[in-house]
Amino acid sequence: MTASISRVIQTDITTTTSQGQTATWEDYLAYRDDPKNDNIGLCFNCDRLLVIDIAREGINHAIINNLFPMLFAIWFSKKSEQIFSLLGGCLLEKPKKQAASPDLMVYVGSEYPTWQAGERRYINLEQWRVPNLVGEIADTTLTIDLDEKKCLYADLGIPEYWVVDVKGLRVFAFQLQSNGKYQECETSLALSGLPISLLNQTLERLNAETNGSAAMWFSQQIASLKTE
């Protein structure tokens, strides 16, 4: 390939870029549709393709990656009237412009993507609305998640973006502003009324507990939490 491609290896970040050339949508499709690439994450933003090897997740990454679906389920169990769908890992595509495969993806409300036999296996953002929230579990990719991917998700118009710092055990949460830029926030919009500080406290418990125990503690805390 003659594209400008960054390859990020989870266990040892390295970035290589071909000079003087830009990636095309066709370059992205070649990676996306190659069966050998089932264990990579892909991001494409206009003329830049980011390839992330996710075949070997570390224990800490896995612990947190599995914690957050539990937290989402616990949160929405307290709000039984709300419809939600978790689609982390699915590819989001705005054809010929952008694509991403966030670790976390939350749709809130009745209009969420569904798949029918015979349809393509990607979320086409010309067909479906954007998710309410996406997030990345950042072990060795923190800089990229707070830079390139942050810009990408803003360009896609995602209302809320979380970066979960595996080493620092904290969440960087951002909400999209009217100027199209993200601003760090202290309270979730998608999980209406949830303090980001409570997520950080839950993550801190992983220093001495399992993710299951941390999730149960989170459940106890939100039982008395006053939210909208």
Side-chain angles (χ1 to χ4, degrees):
M1 261 183 209
T2 59
S4 175
I5 299 171
S6 293
R7 176 173 288 276
V8 181
I9 309 301
Q10 288 287 79
T11 54
D12 181 19
I13 291 185
T14 59
T15 304
T16 58
T17 304
S18 301
Q19 300 299 318
Q21 296 169 326
T22 57
T24 66
W25 184 254
E26 287 67 31
D27 293 320
Y28 160 74
L29 293 179
Y31 269 88
R32 187 199 73 182
D33 297 335
D34 188 337
K36 298 193 300 294
N37 291 333
D38 285 345
N39 289 323
I40 63 172
L42 293 173
C43 288
F44 179 83
N45 195 16
C46 296
D47 61 358
R48 184 160 172 77
L49 177 61
L50 188 66
V51 182
I52 302 175
D53 188 343
I54 58 175
R56 295 184 179 87
E57 291 183 350
I59 291 175
N60 289 341
H61 185 284
I63 286 171
I64 293 177
N65 198 36
N66 285 281
L67 170 64
F68 273 81
M70 289 192 280
L71 300 186
F72 291 140
I74 290 168
W75 175 263
F76 286 109
S77 73
K78 310 297 183 183
K79 298 175 177 290
S80 58
E81 74 284 356
Q82 283 192 325
I83 297 171
F84 73 101
S85 182
L86 306 182
L87 297 173
C90 285
L91 269 168
L92 290 170
E93 289 186 359
K94 183 176 286 186
K96 300 186 181 301
K97 294 181 180 179
Q98 286 113 2
S101 50
D103 293 321
L104 308 173
M105 190 189 316
V106 183
Y107 277 85
V108 182
S110 58
E111 297 179 3
Y112 53 88
T114 58
W115 181 79
Q116 301 295 325
E119 290 183 343
R120 59 201 297 276
R121 294 178 180 270
Y122 313 100
I123 299 174
N124 185 342
L125 293 180
E126 291 182 346
Q127 177 183 356
W128 300 102
R129 68 178 176 90
V130 298
N132 299 79
L133 165 71
V134 301
E136 298 289 354
I137 309 300
D139 189 354
T140 56
T141 59
L142 183 62
T143 300
I144 288 172
D145 291 335
L146 287 173
D147 185 5
E148 286 190 69
K149 287 191 182 180
K150 183 180 171 186
C151 292
L152 169 59
Y153 291 127
D155 288 345
L156 284 171
I158 309 295
E160 187 168 354
Y161 174 48
W162 293 357
V163 177
V164 185
D165 180 3
V166 171
K167 292 184 174 68
L169 292 177
R170 65 158 295 179
V171 176
F172 297 92
F174 305 93
Q175 289 173 10
L176 195 63
Q177 306 301 300
S178 58
N179 62 1
K181 304 294 184 182
Y182 279 125
Q183 180 175 314
E184 196 162 1
C185 60
E186 297 181 354
T187 305
S188 175
L189 181 64
L191 281 64
S192 180
L194 173 65
I196 303 304
S197 60
L198 183 56
L199 294 176
N200 293 333
Q201 293 170 40
T202 303
L203 287 170
E204 289 170 4
R205 300 185 74 84
L206 297 177
N207 284 316
E209 300 178 12
T210 68
N211 53 7
S213 297
M216 292 302 98
W217 179 86
F218 175 82
S219 179
Q220 294 167 0
Q221 303 310 303
I222 65 171
S224 58
L225 185 65
K226 293 183 180 180
T227 61
E228 297 177 7

